[in-house]
Amino acid sequence: MAESTRFVILSLEGDKYAIPLSSVVEITAPHGLERDKNLTEIFEGKTEFRGKWLPVVNVKKLLRMQGLPGKVLLVLKGIKGMVGLLVDTVAEILETDKKAAPFPPGVMNPSTTCFRGILRHEGALVLLLNEDGLL
Amino acid sequence: MTGSYLLFLLSGQLFGARLEGALEILPWRVARKVPLAYSYVEGLIDYRGVIYPVFNLAQKLGLKPQSPIGFTAQGETTPAGLQSIILLEEKKAPLGITVDSIVKMIKANEVAPDASKGDGFIRGLLYDDNKEILLLDFERLFFHGG
């Protein structure tokens, strides 16, 4: 039997995205967010998390989407360390033994690293974010 | 070379697609938006277990929509003029293109294009009722860089 993987399903401007649950450290509210002029435009600021400063990314800016920054903070750990992502909602956990489908050719510049592939969930396509390729 | 072709209209111009590659014709539908996609990508659709990228062919070709400019409530109606999506397969890669309307299917002889036309995107020409019909090279249009 194929091994199943669990994903956190989140939303941005009404569309669903997924991220592997194994990379999620905490889902919380973005308290005490401080601006930091040393961070680039895609960062909304930084916040203290477990005694350390956590850079917080406005994912909508990163993905060049319209809309206000999300109100949910998703703390991720990746190969480059921990980072916070602001998303609109975190709705559920998807457990599936299906592998993500690759992106069809011609959709975006092949050097784009923000996505790992595409999942199907409840009749919709869910874009799988690449936690190590977002920054 | 004689073959079967699907003729369609886009911004008032007649184009053709070889039927060997034209798999399905769908009424226009909202595609799953993809952030960071090329500007002419409408999104993705999941049809019969296959994920198709849907390309706005008129935008890619730099053609202007035929319909008058006006207010359109987002998500409720089709973009100006676009009525159908043709699903194709080019070199085993599935893709969808948005078109204004499907005209008809014909059997015709394909002739080689004038090399000076179309930036290499025209793979052949057809003639039907004394009209010239362009056959586009979808692979070259969509799969060779943005």
Side-chain angles (χ1 to χ4, degrees), chain A residues 48-114:
Chain A
E48 201 177 341
F49 180 74
R50 298 182 184 175
K52 289 183 177 171
W53 285 111
L54 180 78
V56 176
V57 175
N58 180 346
V59 190
K60 293 182 192 175
K61 269 191 187 166
L62 177 73
L63 299 179
R64 293 185 210 136
M65 297 167 72
Q66 302 289 317
L68 296 170
K71 298 289 184 198
V72 176
L73 177 65
L74 208 59
V75 182
L76 303 181
K77 65 172 188 302
I79 53 173
K80 294 173 190 167
M82 287 214 285
V83 68
L85 302 184
L86 290 176
V87 302
D88 288 340
T89 62
V90 173
E92 58 193 309
I93 303 293
L94 164 66
E95 184 163 0
T96 180
D97 58 4
K98 302 265 190 327
K99 284 194 169 178
F103 264 83
V107 172
M108 64 182 71
N109 190 315
S111 65
T112 305
T113 58
C114 289

Side-chain angles (χ1 to χ4, degrees), chain A residues 15-17 62-65 101 103-110 112 114-115 118 120 125 127, chain B residues 32-38 40-41 43-46 49-53 55 93-94 142-143:
Chain A
D15 283 326
K16 286 182 177 176
Y17 296 80
L62 177 73
L63 299 179
R64 293 185 210 136
M65 297 167 72
F103 264 83
V107 172
M108 64 182 71
N109 190 315
T112 305
C114 289
F115 303 104
I118 307 161
R120 292 180 171 91
L125 296 176
L127 306 188
Chain B
R32 169 60 158 94
K33 293 274 179 241
V34 179
L36 307 179
Y38 295 126
Y40 53 83
V41 174
L44 304 170
I45 56 172
D46 190 10
V50 178
I51 298 171
Y52 291 82
F55 300 110
F142 296 118
F143 299 150

Side-chain angles (χ1 to χ4, degrees), chain B residues 92-104:
Chain B
K92 296 193 174 173
L95 71 121
I97 52 168
T98 54
V99 302
D100 293 346
S101 60
I102 305 296
V103 178
K104 60 180 175 178

